[in-house]
Amino acid sequence: MNREPLPPIPVPPALRWREFRVRFLPVLLFMLALGGVAFIWERNVSAPMFVGAVEGRSAHVASPYAAPILRLNVDRFQTVTKGTPLAVLEPTDPRIALSVVQSELDILRAKLDPYLTRQRTATDYEQLRMDWLAQRVDLATARANLQGARDELRRQEALHEQKLVSDDLYELAVTAEAALAAEVSERSNLVQTTEMNLQRLDVTVSSQQTNDFADQFTVTLQAEEQKLKAAAVGAEPITLVAPMDGEVSLIYHQAGENIPEGDPILTITGIEPERIVAYLRQPVPFEPKVGEQVEVRTRTFQRQTSLARINNVGAQFEMITNALAIAHPSGTYDFGLPVEITLPPGLKVRPGEVVDLSVISQN
C-alpha cells in the first residue's frame, strides 16, 4: 500500500517571529549593545594619559600712574583691535608729566649725540682737508726752491771746474741743494699720509641731512617746551590703548574709581587659540619627548579627535597657572612638568578649554 508523504504543516508567521524573537533576537541585541558600548567607551569614556588646556594670548592693561579713571570706552565681551582707545586717565601728580618730559629729553640727548659726532667728524674732515691743501702748497714751493737750487748748483759746479769760485761757495751750493731735496721728500711723504687719512675718514652726513635733522630737532624741542608748560598747569589726560586684537574678558575698575599705579584696569584675551599646554604631575606617567605624536580629544557633546605633536617640554617642574590647577586646602601650590603641544589645524576649541591627550606613537 503506497502512502504519499503528507504535506508539511504550515507554520504561521507569528509563530516564526516568536521563535526568532525568543532564540536569536536577544543574542543579536546583546552583540549590538556590546559593540555600541565598546565604541562609545573607546571614543568618549576611555581614560586619557593626561589632560591639557587650550591657551591663547592675553594682555593686562594697567595704569602707569596713580590716577582716577575719567572714561572707560569699552564693555566686557567687546571685541577690540590693536590701538583701540580703552580708557582715559587723569594723573593727579604733576611730577608724572615732568618725569615723562625728562625721559623724552634724555632720549633726545641720546639721539643728539650721533648728530654731534657727525658734526665733529665733518669739521675734522674739513680741517684735515685744509691742512692737506696747505701741505700741497708748501710742497710745490719746496719743489720750486729745489729746482732753483739745482740750477744754482749746476752754475757753481761749472764755475768751480774753471776755478772761478772757491770750494766754500761750491760746498754751500751742494748743501743747499741737498737740504731742499730732503725737504721735498719729507713734504711728499706728509702729503701722501694726509691724503690716505682723508680717504679713510668717511663722512656720511650730507649738508641736507644735517639741516633736516636740525629742523626736526628744533620742532621736537618746541613740543617739549609746550609739554613743560602744560605740566606746570596740570597733568594731561592719558589714553590707554589696546596692545593686541582680542576681546575684553575682564574689567576690574569702572569710570570714576581711583586706582593705584600698576593696578590692572581690564584684560584682553585673544579670540584665536595658539597652543595646548599640559602639566604632568608627580609621579610622571611617561617621559615626554619633542616630536611625539599626540591624540587630542575634546570634551564637547560632539567629540572631536585630531592629531598633534609635542612641541616643547619644560626643563623643570613649575607652578600650574592655567585651568588645570587644583586648589589645595592646605594652601600649597600645584606643580607639574609643562608640555607644549601644537594646536591641530581644524580643531574647533576655545582658549581655556580642557582637552584629553594620549601619546599614540614615539619617534
Side-chain angles (χ1 to χ4, degrees):
M1 176 177 174
N2 296 330
R3 293 183 179 181
E4 297 180 356
L6 298 176
I9 301 175
V11 179
L15 185 59
R16 293 180 181 275
W17 168 247
R18 180 176 177 276
E19 183 179 2
F20 174 79
R21 187 178 59 187
V22 172
R23 296 179 58 183
F24 302 104
L25 187 60
V27 177
L28 182 61
L29 291 178
F30 176 77
M31 297 299 295
L32 291 175
L34 185 63
V37 169
F39 175 78
I40 294 174
W41 181 272
E42 177 66 23
R43 185 174 178 84
N44 298 322
V45 186
S46 60
M49 296 180 64
F50 60 119
V51 294
V54 181
E55 288 188 356
R57 289 198 307 158
S58 63
H60 296 288
V61 180
S63 172
Y65 312 113
I69 301 177
L70 292 180
R71 186 171 63 256
L72 197 63
N73 299 329
V74 293
D75 294 325
R76 192 179 181 187
F77 306 125
Q78 180 177 336
T79 302
V80 296
T81 58
K82 184 177 181 180
T84 301
L86 302 176
V88 180
L89 309 179
E90 185 180 16
T92 55
D93 191 352
R95 292 177 297 177
I96 296 173
L98 293 175
S99 62
V100 172
V101 174
Q102 181 63 43
S103 300
E104 293 178 351
L105 289 176
D106 292 339
I107 295 174
L108 285 176
R109 188 179 296 108
K111 291 181 178 179
L112 184 61
D113 286 341
Y115 166 74
L116 294 178
T117 302
R118 290 194 298 267
Q119 288 292 95
R120 287 192 293 267
T121 303
T123 303
D124 294 341
Y125 176 82
E126 294 298 331
Q127 183 63 43
L128 186 60
R129 190 167 180 270
M130 291 178 62
D131 293 342
W132 178 60
L133 292 175
Q135 292 167 7
R136 291 177 61 185
V137 172
D138 294 340
L139 176 61
T141 303
R143 285 175 177 173
N145 294 334
L146 176 60
Q147 185 63 36
R150 286 176 177 174
D151 294 340
E152 180 65 23
L153 178 60
R154 282 195 296 268
R155 289 194 297 269
Q156 294 293 338
E157 187 177 5
L159 294 174
H160 183 264
E161 290 177 355
Q162 298 175 8
K163 305 298 183 178
L164 297 177
V165 296
S166 63
D167 293 339
D168 294 337
L169 291 177
Y170 176 72
E171 292 296 334
L172 183 61
V174 172
T175 303
E177 190 274 339
L180 288 174
E183 181 182 357
V184 168
S185 177
E186 292 296 330
R187 290 190 181 276
S188 297
N189 294 334
L190 183 59
V191 169
Q192 291 178 0
T193 303
T194 306
E195 186 176 1
M196 293 174 60
N197 292 334
L198 282 173
Q199 293 176 355
R200 286 197 299 264
L201 188 60
D202 184 20
V203 180
T204 59
V205 181
S206 64
S207 59
Q208 182 62 37
Q209 291 176 336
T210 302
N211 293 334
D212 292 343
F213 183 85
D215 295 339
Q216 295 176 2
F217 190 74
T218 302
V219 173
T220 305
L221 285 180
Q222 291 175 354
E224 295 301 325
E225 290 177 359
Q226 294 297 327
K227 290 182 180 180
L228 284 174
K229 293 179 181 179
V233 177
E236 297 179 352
I238 300 173
T239 301
L240 303 180
V241 298
M244 56 175 283
D245 298 340
E247 182 182 271
V248 179
S249 56
L250 290 173
I251 295 179
Y252 304 100
H253 298 282
Q254 299 295 330
E257 292 187 48
N258 290 298
I259 55 177
E261 178 181 350
D263 202 31
I265 299 175
L266 52 87
T267 298
I268 298 176
T269 304
I271 299 176
E272 297 295 331
E274 293 187 350
R275 60 184 179 179
I276 299 173
V277 176
Y279 289 91
L280 300 179
R281 295 177 174 84
Q282 291 180 311
V284 177
F286 66 96
E287 187 65 28
K289 298 180 181 179
V290 175
E292 285 185 328
Q293 199 171 24
V294 178
E295 181 187 64
V296 181
R297 186 169 65 244
T298 64
R299 295 185 176 183
T300 56
F301 181 75
Q302 295 292 337
R303 293 295 182 103
Q304 303 177 66
T305 303
S306 186
L307 296 180
R309 290 188 180 275
I310 296 178
N311 193 30
N312 285 304
V313 178
Q316 62 182 7
F317 283 83
E318 300 176 0
M319 185 173 64
I320 301 177
T321 57
N322 58 12
L324 306 177
I326 300 176
H328 296 277
S330 60
T332 58
Y333 295 105
D334 195 13
F335 285 86
L337 181 67
V339 179
E340 179 186 355
I341 300 170
T342 59
L343 190 67
L347 190 67
K348 297 181 179 179
V349 289
R350 295 183 176 89
E353 185 174 343
V354 177
V355 293
D356 296 329
L357 306 170
S358 298
V359 176
I360 61 176
S361 68
Q362 294 185 357
N363 295 336

